[in-house]
């Protein structure tokens, strides 16, 4: 296994499962199950035992390994030099299980669907551009930016609304953008996180070729997960593009007066997506958009920025649900934390977070007090 020589370095001191001020458990898997093996250090020792032959692969072992949300809280808070590789170590262990075909059925199904259909929804590729029907979005034909939407934004009913809100807002702000429609395929971020390195490389090669054929130089993503794959993994596979999350493009447009905003008296809290925040250190662009709306009050949650608590959807869990629901699920804990701020809206910048938190708001029966809205949806409501 890759990184096998690092696994023994973990002391199991446990710093990695907390926030920086040690006031709460911040590893979503540990916070939910409260068994040490679900914590980052526990996982390290579990993997060590498995590599040494002391522990056999079992359904339980697989469930623990695939419950990690790859949220990178442990990367942020482990004090040792190998900390940057913690998530990579967990993914490397998953790669071994995938190679042996010993994986939980929801992971197998997710990977199979991507392999067969290019998306996890078993939806036809020809319908990938359908989300843009009736909008001002045009097919990519040499515009300055390609707007890459991803599987969730293309096919999920709720996320489609977010894709439309972002796309039309960028066009309204005068940006030259085009979409790939049916030429787009899965970015593969979750495929990589679930340990299918071969399929990830295949998807990356397909996207890189499509971008190159069309002469794409700059890419704006809807989803922080795609942003992460394009920015951090595609360059190593020959795909060098200028990559932005949409908030990074929208923030300067608003500051430059391209999106005139009216007074909007709203109290909002912002949920940092792990793949925009901890994985890519972008904490400010989304906040500066919200702060630019006159009359909007931004109330931070107890855990924010590098300490933000994951919604539980990362690392493929959005699709496989191995981390699972219930009162102590990360998403339900997160919406309770959001409600405590007194905000009426949780602003999100990721369609996966939007879905996870919206379901949690319903389960907590908070629908009358708390709404989940993407930042673009909030801005659209405040445009003059
Ligand atoms: S991963 Fe790092 S912080 Fe966590 S238990 Fe191991 S050594 Fe300690
Ligand atoms: S990446 Fe997140 S979920 Fe996975 S072990 Fe680290 S803190 Fe826990």
């Amino acid at each position: 296994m890759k990184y096998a020589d690092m696994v023994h370095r973990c002391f199991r001191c446990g710093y990695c499962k907390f926030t920086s001020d040690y006031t709460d458990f911040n590893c979503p898997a540990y916070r939910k199950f409260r068994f040490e093996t679900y914590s980052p250090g526990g996982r390290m020792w579990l993997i060590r035992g498995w590599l040494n032959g002391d522990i056999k692969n079992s359904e339980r072992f697989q469930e623990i390994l695939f419950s990690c949300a790859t949220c990178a809280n442990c990367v942020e808070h482990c004090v040792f030099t190998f900390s940057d590789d913690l998530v990579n170590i967990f993914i490397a262990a998953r790669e071994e299980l995938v190679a042996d075909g010993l994986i939980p059925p929801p992971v197998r199904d997710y990977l199979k669907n991507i392999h067969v259909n290019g998306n996890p929804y078993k939806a036809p590729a020809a319908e990938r551009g359908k989300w843009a029907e009736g909008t001002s979005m045009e097919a990519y034909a040499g515009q300055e930016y390609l707007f890459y939407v991803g599987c969730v934004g293309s096919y999920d009913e709720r996320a489609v609304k977010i894709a439309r809100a972002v796309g039309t807002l960028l066009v309204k702000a005068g940006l030259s953008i085009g979409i790939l429609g049916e030429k787009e395929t899965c970015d593969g971020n979750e495929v990589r996180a679930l340990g299918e390195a071969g399929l990830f490389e295949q998807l990356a090669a397909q996207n890189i070729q499509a971008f190159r054929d069309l002469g794409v130089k700059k890419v704006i993503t809807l989803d922080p997960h795609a942003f992460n794959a394009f920015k951090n993994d595609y360059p190593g596979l020959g795909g060098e593009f200028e990559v932005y999350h949409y908030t990074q493009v929208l923030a300067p447009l608003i500051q430059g007066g391209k999106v005139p905003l009216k007074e909007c008296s709203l109290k909002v809290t912002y949920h940092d997506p792990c793949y925009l925040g901890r994985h890519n250190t972008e904490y400010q662009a989304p906040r500066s958009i919200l702060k630019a709306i006159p009359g909007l009050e931004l109330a931070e949650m107890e855990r924010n920025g590098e300490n933000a608590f994951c919604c539980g959807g990362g690392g493929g869990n959005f699709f496989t649900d191995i981390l699972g629901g219930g009162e102590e699920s990360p998403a339900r804990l997160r919406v309770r934390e959001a409600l405590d701020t007194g905000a009426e809206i949780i602003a999100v910048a990721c369609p996966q977070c939007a879905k996870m938190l919206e379901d949690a708001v319903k389960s907590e029966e908070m629908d009358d007090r708390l709404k989940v809205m993407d930042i673009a949806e909030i801005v659209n409501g405040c445009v003059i």
Side-chain angles (χ1 to χ4, degrees):
M1 186 191 103
K2 270 189 272 173
Y3 307 102
D5 58 340
M6 281 189 187
V7 177
H8 69 280
R9 293 192 204 166
C10 168
F11 277 74
R12 237 182 76 203
C13 57
Y15 290 132
C16 48
K17 58 178 180 266
F18 291 95
T19 48
S20 3
D21 58 5
Y22 308 108
T23 52
D24 206 344
F25 297 122
N26 220 27
C27 164
Y30 178 76
R31 180 64 184 74
K32 179 171 177 197
F33 296 105
R34 300 294 180 100
F35 282 113
E36 194 61 21
T37 42
Y38 283 87
S39 77
R43 284 169 197 279
M44 291 287 272
W45 279 62
L46 194 68
I47 293 168
R48 183 178 171 176
W50 169 62
L51 289 174
N52 289 344
D54 301 333
I55 292 169
K56 297 267 172 290
N57 187 344
S58 63
E59 274 179 30
R60 176 113 175 99
F61 177 70
Q62 293 166 22
E63 207 179 281
I64 294 169
L65 283 199
F66 284 93
S67 67
C68 168
T70 65
C71 73
N73 180 70
C74 48
V75 172
E76 203 69 54
H77 295 111
C78 168
V79 291
F80 294 94
T81 49
F82 63 88
S83 63
D84 279 352
D85 282 313
L86 276 170
V87 170
N88 293 334
I89 292 168
F90 304 145
I91 292 176
R94 289 175 172 185
E95 282 175 8
E96 298 291 310
L97 300 194
V98 169
D100 292 342
L102 298 167
I103 49 177
V107 176
R108 182 200 57 213
D109 295 346
Y110 172 80
L111 295 172
K112 188 175 161 207
N113 289 334
I114 300 275
H115 180 69
V116 174
N117 306 294
N119 68 75
Y121 298 100
K122 297 188 194 167
E127 288 180 11
R128 203 165 172 114
K130 236 176 144 190
W131 68 271
E133 280 176 7
T135 69
S136 45
M137 304 304 303
E138 289 175 353
Y140 186 85
Q143 289 95 328
E144 186 178 0
Y145 296 93
L146 167 72
F147 180 40
Y148 179 94
V149 183
C151 298
V152 185
S154 298
Y155 294 112
D156 179 274
E157 207 183 326
R158 172 68 182 99
V160 159
K161 290 184 187 151
I162 299 175
R164 289 167 73 94
V166 173
T168 49
L169 186 58
L170 294 177
V171 171
K172 219 184 288 174
L175 218 63
S176 158
I177 59 171
I179 59 167
L180 284 182
E182 65 185 70
K183 288 187 198 138
E184 190 182 284
T185 195
C186 176
D187 52 85
N189 194 64
E190 276 48 64
V191 170
R192 193 188 81 84
L194 286 169
E196 223 314 7
L199 181 56
F200 171 68
E201 284 178 19
Q202 201 179 307
L203 295 166
Q206 232 170 298
N207 275 315
I208 292 167
Q209 195 56 50
F211 294 0
R212 278 201 198 127
D213 289 348
L214 291 162
V216 171
K217 303 262 182 308
K218 300 180 186 176
V219 184
I220 299 173
T221 74
L222 173 71
D223 194 319
H225 298 250
F227 171 66
N228 181 67
F230 295 166
K231 190 163 178 269
N232 299 319
D233 299 315
Y234 280 31
L237 300 167
E240 297 266 4
F241 306 97
E242 253 182 64
V243 187
Y244 303 91
H245 180 253
Y246 88 83
T247 53
Q248 297 175 317
V249 176
L250 187 58
L253 285 170
I254 290 178
Q255 273 146 24
K258 301 279 187 204
V259 186
L261 297 167
K262 62 181 180 196
E263 179 89 14
C264 267
S265 168
L266 300 167
K267 189 165 179 181
V268 176
T269 190
Y270 172 63
H271 167 76
D272 290 272
C274 304
Y275 275 92
L276 190 59
R278 275 186 293 265
H279 280 275
N280 287 292
T281 62
E282 183 54 88
Y283 302 109
Q284 287 318 313
R287 286 180 169 80
S288 74
I289 295 171
L290 292 169
K291 285 179 189 161
I293 300 174
L296 186 145
E297 183 191 343
L298 179 61
E300 292 286 2
M301 279 183 266
E302 199 65 29
R303 292 177 283 187
N304 63 70
E306 65 178 32
N307 284 308
F309 188 55
C310 170
C311 72
N317 276 285
F318 177 78
F319 302 100
T320 62
D321 202 24
I322 290 175
L323 202 41
E327 242 176 273
E328 294 301 294
S329 70
R332 286 181 67 175
L333 288 166
R334 192 61 168 158
V335 297
R336 296 206 286 270
E337 196 176 339
L339 195 70
D340 284 347
T341 65
E344 59 203 301
I345 295 170
I346 311 180
V348 292
C350 167
Q352 298 187 37
C353 295
K355 289 274 296 180
M356 296 293 294
L357 298 178
E358 218 158 65
D359 287 351
V361 164
K362 281 187 202 126
S363 304
E364 290 281 319
E365 298 178 359
M366 292 174 182
D367 328 36
D368 53 337
R369 287 161 290 162
L370 198 59
K371 224 165 137 184
V372 179
M373 291 179 80
D374 188 88
I375 286 180
E377 294 175 315
I378 298 172
V379 174
N380 270 333
C382 302
V383 170
I384 295 172

